[in-house]
Amino acid sequence: MNQLLETRVDGRATGEQWPLDRGLQYGDGLFETMLARNGRVRFEALHRARLQEGCGRLGIAADLARVWDEARQLAAKHGNAVLRLQITRGTALVRGYTPTGREQARSILAVFTPPSVTDIPTRLRVLTLRNRLGENPDLAGLKHCNRLEQVLARQAMTGKDAFEGLLASSSGLLISGTMSNVFLELDGQVVTPAMDRCGVAGILRAVVLREAAHAGTPALVAQLPIEALQRATALALSNARLGLVMADELDGRNLAHSTRLAALAARVASLED
Amino acid sequence: MNQLLETRVDGRATGEQWPLDRGLQYGDGLFETMLARNGRVRFEALHRARLQEGCGRLGIAADLARVWDEARQLAAKHGNAVLRLQITRGTALVRGYTPTGREQARSILAVFTPPSVTDIPTRLRVLTLRNRLGENPDLAGLKHCNRLEQVLARQAMTGKDAFEGLLASSSGLLISGTMSNVFLELDGQVVTPAMDRCGVAGILRAVVLREAAHAGTPALVAQLPIEALQRATALALSNARLGLVMADELDGRNLAHSTRLAALAARVASLED
């Protein structure tokens, strides 16, 4: 039953395995975007823990020790770079959504040039988007490969002269940017949205939360209605590539300079682990 | 900025393009699962229309005329088969979610052996699953490649001796099975869930709705709370591979034989377009 008879890619017959990779068919995989800095994978332990948790929750059995050895080698080789590590469940052994459990996980490591100072605009503008994120606690927090919502959100920003767009979930909760987590200063308190219904639990977000606690001024994790943005006095975005960066403008409104967020950003910038 | 330095697959350096296909990275693509019957693609016009709509909504520019020529050739060659046609946005030209609009869409056509009578169990059992589907109207209806929810749902059925599992959305609406649309007999009326918040608007579902109307006994499309299943007297599942098939049991409860659903199934079974 369901035996493969032939495969064609762009009109040409092929006997290769990758066209039937479940990552390609269903986005059935996970990825990590990491910074290599001074020859090391920055925050490696945190990236490893998230990837391992993701493999566990999706039931993907991968030889992660080998993959992390390779990631370390690439970091040492390139010194400063962006590493994109992807794990897929591997080539489908039968047609359909059900994994057999006998697939061979596939790893893809791509190395890119490091971020440059010009990646962040001198005036950082943020928009609130009308796109919404579907809520699914079973997938929430993971950096999995089902990212069409982010693709559509980025397309919605075309021609809008904004660095990042903020997204609410289907029930109206503020979740994150399209490519970053978000920290708000709200009523004098630093707050970041909970990632229990949707969104990616970013590694830099975890570092910021940890460092805020270490500094004796903990940040709150809360369910925030998207309307809370209107009361935010300051806003910062976090991801592995950029660190914690301050937004200057939200939906055309000037934001304040937050000494607390700026101090957190400086503290995080100096860390390697 | 963001220049690719090198790529490795399973530990080996490669210069190939496919490891950076956005379909693989983000599930950034669409697919159609179709039946080839007597040398023709069954319901070809409906599959073409859905794929074209999907490409439009995702902003993927593909040479669909060529792809459909190829699908037709494969149907003629194999006579009876299952065809899986996938379109991805193609290889990423830069890192990140934003498409440049200059990607070259990729097509993958895989041919499988046709369904056999043993694919459908003699007693067809259906379960209601606890998994939920995230709601996103921008993606609803499309057969896109973000299918981790379906993968998790199939995994949740492991060891449960059921043919199909039914899923509600995050707000508690009945949507579909993991691989099929669903038709209920409810208060003497045939009803199928609306696909405006999530779910795939199946080709067979469209055919069943069309044929019910032609037969003078229209089926309703409605927003149904998942609890409506408890009142359903009969249940049928539809997909392109299997047609419209009757369920015998729902969550351990025997279902009635519905003469209306059976008549619809027979009517649909004889159609080619």
Side-chain angles (χ1 to χ4, degrees):
Chain A
M1 56 176 276
N2 280 327
Q3 200 190 325
L4 179 66
L5 297 172
E6 66 171 296
T7 309
R8 296 199 187 175
V9 175
D10 290 337
R12 287 182 301 278
T14 179
E16 289 191 88
Q17 299 279 301
W18 67 263
L20 298 174
D21 191 287
R22 291 176 57 98
L24 195 66
Q25 292 184 326
Y26 307 129
D28 193 359
L30 298 150
F31 67 110
E32 295 289 329
T33 305
M34 303 174 286
L35 209 57
R37 206 156 82 166
N38 304 321
R40 293 185 62 223
V41 177
R42 194 176 180 219
F43 304 124
E44 182 186 328
L46 295 170
H47 284 290
R48 286 175 87 120
R50 181 172 66 180
L51 185 61
Q52 185 161 5
E53 188 204 336
C55 285
R57 283 169 63 184
L58 298 186
I60 294 177
D63 182 359
L64 293 181
R66 188 202 62 71
V67 172
W68 284 110
D69 281 349
E70 192 184 4
R72 284 178 173 199
Q73 287 165 17
L74 287 171
K77 173 179 172 184
H78 291 278
N80 293 293
V82 174
L83 296 187
R84 186 183 193 278
L85 164 56
Q86 178 163 357
I87 299 287
T88 72
R89 196 184 301 274
T91 294
L93 300 175
V94 295
R95 208 199 52 74
Y97 295 127
T98 317
T100 63
R102 290 174 283 104
E103 293 86 2
Q104 294 275 321
R106 180 170 271 130
S107 73
I108 299 171
L109 261 159
V111 188
F112 298 87
T113 47
S116 81
V117 286
T118 57
D119 286 359
I120 300 174
T122 47
R123 185 162 179 80
L124 199 154
R125 294 185 179 89
V126 177
L127 285 179
T128 307
L129 299 175
R130 257 174 273 176
N131 303 53
R132 296 286 167 120
L133 299 171
E135 298 183 354
N136 187 327
D138 295 334
L139 293 170
L142 300 182
K143 203 165 171 82
H144 57 67
C145 298
N146 278 198
R147 293 293 157 206
L148 276 174
E149 292 182 326
Q150 283 70 29
V151 174
L152 290 179
R154 292 304 302 186
Q155 286 177 322
M157 291 172 64
T158 305
K160 295 229 164 120
D161 187 27
F163 180 75
E164 180 59 304
L166 303 186
L167 294 158
S169 72
S170 59
S171 68
L173 297 173
L174 172 65
I175 304 298
S176 66
T178 63
M179 56 169 183
S180 63
N181 289 113
V182 62
F183 288 84
L184 282 64
E185 203 167 69
L186 205 64
D187 308 323
Q189 179 80 43
V190 173
V191 194
T192 191
M195 294 289 120
D196 53 347
R197 297 197 193 183
C198 52
V200 176
I203 297 307
L204 257 284
R205 173 180 177 274
V207 172
V208 172
L209 287 170
R210 182 188 75 191
E211 294 305 313
H214 285 184
T217 52
L220 287 183
V221 176
Q223 292 200 334
L224 295 169
I226 183 80
E227 294 78 15
L229 284 173
Q230 296 162 20
R231 292 188 299 114
T233 48
L235 187 68
L237 308 172
S238 69
N239 77 22
R241 205 166 61 86
L242 303 172
L244 184 66
V245 294
M246 301 300 129
D248 297 299
E249 198 179 306
L250 173 61
D251 295 324
R253 173 169 69 89
N254 288 335
L255 294 167
H257 177 84
S258 160
T259 48
R260 264 195 74 191
L261 283 171
L264 263 173
R267 184 177 174 121
V268 165
S270 66
L271 299 173
E272 297 298 332
D273 291 301
Chain B
M1 57 176 275
N2 279 327
Q3 199 188 326
L4 179 66
L5 298 172
E6 66 170 296
T7 310
R8 297 199 186 175
V9 175
D10 290 337
R12 288 183 298 278
T14 178
E16 289 191 89
Q17 298 279 302
W18 67 263
L20 298 173
D21 192 288
R22 292 176 56 98
L24 195 66
Q25 293 184 326
Y26 306 129
D28 192 358
L30 299 151
F31 67 109
E32 296 287 330
T33 306
M34 303 175 283
L35 208 57
R37 204 156 83 166
N38 304 319
R40 294 185 60 223
V41 177
R42 194 177 180 218
F43 304 124
E44 181 185 327
L46 295 170
H47 284 291
R48 286 176 87 119
R50 181 172 66 180
L51 185 62
Q52 185 160 6
E53 187 204 337
C55 285
R57 283 169 63 183
L58 298 187
I60 295 177
D63 182 0
L64 293 182
R66 188 202 63 70
V67 173
W68 285 110
D69 280 350
E70 193 185 3
R72 283 178 173 198
Q73 287 163 19
L74 287 171
K77 173 180 171 183
H78 291 277
N80 294 292
V82 173
L83 295 187
R84 187 183 193 279
L85 164 56
Q86 178 164 357
I87 298 289
T88 73
R89 198 184 300 274
T91 294
L93 300 175
V94 294
R95 208 199 52 75
Y97 295 128
T98 318
T100 63
R102 291 175 281 103
E103 294 85 2
Q104 295 275 322
R106 182 169 271 129
S107 73
I108 299 171
L109 261 158
V111 187
F112 297 87
T113 47
S116 80
V117 286
T118 57
D119 286 358
I120 301 175
T122 47
R123 184 160 180 83
L124 199 154
R125 295 186 178 86
V126 177
L127 284 179
T128 307
L129 299 175
R130 257 173 272 175
N131 304 53
R132 296 286 167 119
L133 299 171
E135 298 183 353
N136 188 325
D138 295 334
L139 292 170
L142 300 182
K143 203 165 171 84
H144 57 68
C145 297
N146 278 199
R147 293 292 157 207
L148 276 174
E149 293 181 324
Q150 283 70 30
V151 174
L152 289 179
R154 292 303 303 187
Q155 286 178 321
M157 291 173 64
T158 305
K160 295 233 165 117
D161 188 27
F163 181 75
E164 180 59 302
L166 303 186
L167 295 158
S169 73
S170 59
S171 69
L173 298 173
L174 172 65
I175 303 298
S176 66
T178 63
M179 56 167 182
S180 63
N181 289 112
V182 62
F183 288 83
L184 281 67
E185 203 166 70
L186 205 66
D187 308 323
Q189 178 81 43
V190 174
V191 193
T192 191
M195 293 290 119
D196 53 346
R197 297 198 193 182
C198 53
V200 177
I203 298 307
L204 257 283
R205 174 179 176 275
V207 171
V208 172
L209 287 171
R210 181 187 76 190
E211 294 305 312
H214 284 183
T217 53
L220 287 182
V221 176
Q223 292 200 334
L224 295 168
I226 185 78
E227 294 78 16
L229 283 173
Q230 295 163 20
R231 293 189 297 114
T233 48
L235 188 69
L237 308 173
S238 69
N239 77 21
R241 205 166 61 86
L242 304 171
L244 184 66
V245 294
M246 302 300 128
D248 297 299
E249 198 179 305
L250 173 61
D251 294 323
R253 173 171 67 90
N254 288 335
L255 294 168
H257 176 83
S258 160
T259 48
R260 263 195 74 191
L261 284 171
L264 263 173
R267 185 177 173 123
V268 165
S270 66
L271 299 173
E272 296 298 332
D273 290 302

